[in-house]
Amino acid sequence: MNIPESGRLFAICLNKTGTTTLGHALNILGVPTIDYPTDLRTLEQLEQGDYKLDILKSYKAVTDMPVGLFYPQLDKLYPGSRFILTVRDKPSWLKSVRDHWPFVMEWGRHEEVFRRFTYYAFTAVYGSPHFNEYRYSYVYDNYQEGIRTYFSSRPDDLLIMDISEGEGWEKLFMFLGIPVQEKPFPYLNRKEEKAELCSWIDHLDEAITSLNNAIASESTLILIDENKLANSAVHKNHHVLPFREKNGEYNGLPADSTEAIADLERLRRAGATHIALAWSSFWWLDHYSMFFIHIRNIGEIVLDDRHWLVFRI
C-alpha cells in the first residue's frame, strides 16, 4: 500500500454513504481499520481538539464521522496520508439518514458512551443531533465542496467513490497501489446495513443472554470487540479484560498473530478462563488466522453462534 509509515488512510465520509462497506473492504485487504470509533478516549480527544488520536497507534485507517471532519488537521499531523470520500445520490442519502436516526437513538439507550459520542458527532458535523432535511442537505453539499477544494491541487491524495452505485475494488486497488485481486467486493446493500444495525440493537439482549448461559458470571473473560461493547451489559455480568489489554484498558489491535498469542498467554497466566470473539470482530478469524489456530489448539469451544465464538482456555 503506497502510504508511508507516518501516514494513515482516512475515509472522510458522512454517515450512510457506504462507510461500513468500505471498512469491511479495507480490513479484507489487511489494512487494520476501525469504523466509527466510539470509545471514550477518542471522544475526549476530539472534544479537546487533540487530533493525534490514540486509536491511530493501532489502526492504519478510520472510516465514518466525525474523525473525517478534521481532515485538514489530520493531513498535517499524519504526513503522507491518503483520503477517501464516499458519496451518494443526495435524495436517497437524506432518506437513509432520516430512517437511520431512530435506530441510532435506540442503540444509545443501551450504551451511554455511544450516546455521548453520537451526540457529539452529529452536532459537530451537522450542527444538530436531530435530523433536519434543509440543514443536512446544506451540510452534504458544503462538506463535499470543501473537500474537493482542499485537495484540488493534490488529486492523487483523494479518492472519490460511490459505493452505492457499484464502485469498489478497481478504484481502491488503483488508489492504494495494490495489485488487482480476484475477490468479491463486500457490498452491504441498504437492507443488509439496516439488518446489521438492528442486530446491534434488537439482538443485544439475545447476545448477552447466550453469553451468560455459556459461561459463569465469575469467569474472567477476554473480550475481542475492538472496544465496541465497552460499558454494555457484557461488562456488568462478567469480569472482562479487553483485548489487547494494558493496565486494564483497551490497547488497540495486535500487530500480528504472534503478538496476539503472546498477549493471550500473558492473560491466561494472570487467570483468564475464557476468550470471546464478538460478531463485530469476526474479520479477525481471517486476518489473525494463526492466532485462532492457537486458540483452537489450547481451548474448547463453548459457544458458537451469530453473535459469539467463545472458548474455554
Side-chain angles (χ1 to χ4, degrees), residues 6-13 46 49-56 62-83 143 150-151 154:
S6 61
R8 295 292 185 273
L9 181 61
F10 295 106
I12 48 179
C13 320
L46 291 175
D50 175 10
Y51 306 120
K52 196 72 172 176
L53 301 175
D54 287 355
I55 57 167
L56 293 175
V62 59
T63 69
D64 213 329
M65 59 182 214
V67 173
L69 180 65
F70 308 107
Y71 59 88
Q73 290 75 37
L74 296 168
D75 189 27
K76 291 178 172 59
L77 286 169
Y78 296 93
S81 291
R82 313 292 297 284
F83 297 81
Y143 184 72
Y150 182 87
F151 288 101
R154 299 161 48 196

Side-chain angles (χ1 to χ4, degrees), residues 175-208:
F175 181 66
L176 298 176
I178 294 174
V180 175
Q181 304 172 32
E182 292 295 330
K183 59 177 67 181
F185 192 76
Y187 292 108
L188 292 175
N189 64 32
R190 292 163 198 165
K191 181 178 180 181
E192 288 169 333
E193 286 180 342
K194 183 174 180 180
E196 181 177 5
L197 179 61
C198 289
S199 74
W200 276 84
I201 298 166
D202 297 337
H203 302 302
L204 179 63
D205 291 339
E206 177 187 329
I208 291 170

Side-chain angles (χ1 to χ4, degrees), residues 146-160:
I147 291 171
R148 293 172 190 268
T149 299
Y150 182 87
F151 288 101
S152 60
S153 63
R154 299 161 48 196
D156 292 343
D157 290 338
L158 176 67
L159 171 64
I160 300 176

Side-chain angles (χ1 to χ4, degrees), residues 59 224-226 243-244 250 252-254 257 260 277 280-292:
Y59 292 93
I224 302 173
D225 71 332
E226 299 165 67
F243 195 79
R244 294 169 46 247
Y250 177 62
L253 294 174
S257 286
L277 177 69
S280 58
S281 297
F282 279 169
W283 65 271
W284 280 51
L285 291 167
D286 293 322
H287 190 73
Y288 299 107
S289 57
M290 296 304 297
F291 175 53
F292 283 94

